[in-house]
Amino acid sequence: MSGRVLIAGIGNVFLGDDGFGVETVRALSSHPLPDGVEVVDFGVRGVHLAYQILDGYDTLLLIDATARGGEPGTLYLIEADGSADPGAAGPAPGGPVLDGHHMSPDTVLALLGTLCAGTGTTPPRRTLVLGCEPACVEEGIGLSAPVTAAVPEAVRMALDLIRGPAPDETGGLRRELRRTP
């Protein structure tokens, strides 16, 4: 990746595996990172994420728990296409004012075009989601065993994305992004 990169950890640490993004960026922040890469724990502060994005980034990498029906601990790399999803939880015309304490990443992404147009900024050229299949998102602190085991692999995937693929044992480039079981 080139240009400015924002890696955003998303999630609620009081809801079990929903804290995956927060835990992953905590682990990621202990690694040396290239210039222009920012790692931020946004937790549940969607409004802060929205305003941070307006600072101008080439790439946005959201790290979050992502239920897609796989085995708990499975990692997903999803590229957002930037188009507004009609089913996304954006503001309804004539609906209530957005609650700054309940802006999910979907809501932030749905509003990104409007926010950028209103401020004269440019949205990130590329938006990726590094997600992990949760086992439990009920009230409680701490990640489940499969999601805890996925954190180091998620860190490796994020590092591969921002640094480029590392050489493998044969001297070739490692290009795959693996999923954990």
Side-chain angles (χ1 to χ4, degrees), residues 14 26 29 46 66 93 128 134 165:
F14 298 112
R26 186 198 61 74
S29 65
T66 308
L128 301 163

Side-chain angles (χ1 to χ4, degrees), residues 68-105:
R68 297 176 62 92
E71 291 293 318
T74 300
L75 294 174
Y76 307 104
L77 183 62
I78 305 157
E79 182 144 12
D81 65 4
S83 64
D85 176 359
V97 176
L98 285 173
D99 180 349
H101 296 286
H102 295 98
M103 281 185 70
S104 69

Side-chain angles (χ1 to χ4, degrees), residues 7 9 14 40 44 46 49 55 60 64-65 73 80 86 89 91 100-102 110-111 126 141 150 152:
I7 300 175
F14 298 112
V40 181
V44 296
L49 172 61
D55 283 347
L60 171 63
D64 197 4
H101 296 286
H102 295 98
L111 291 173
R126 188 173 188 202
I141 297 175

Side-chain angles (χ1 to χ4, degrees), residues 101-128:
H101 296 286
H102 295 98
M103 281 185 70
S104 69
D106 289 343
T107 303
V108 171
L109 293 176
L111 291 173
L112 191 55
T114 302
L115 292 171
C116 288
T119 59
T121 58
T122 304
R125 179 185 59 78
R126 188 173 188 202
T127 299
L128 301 163

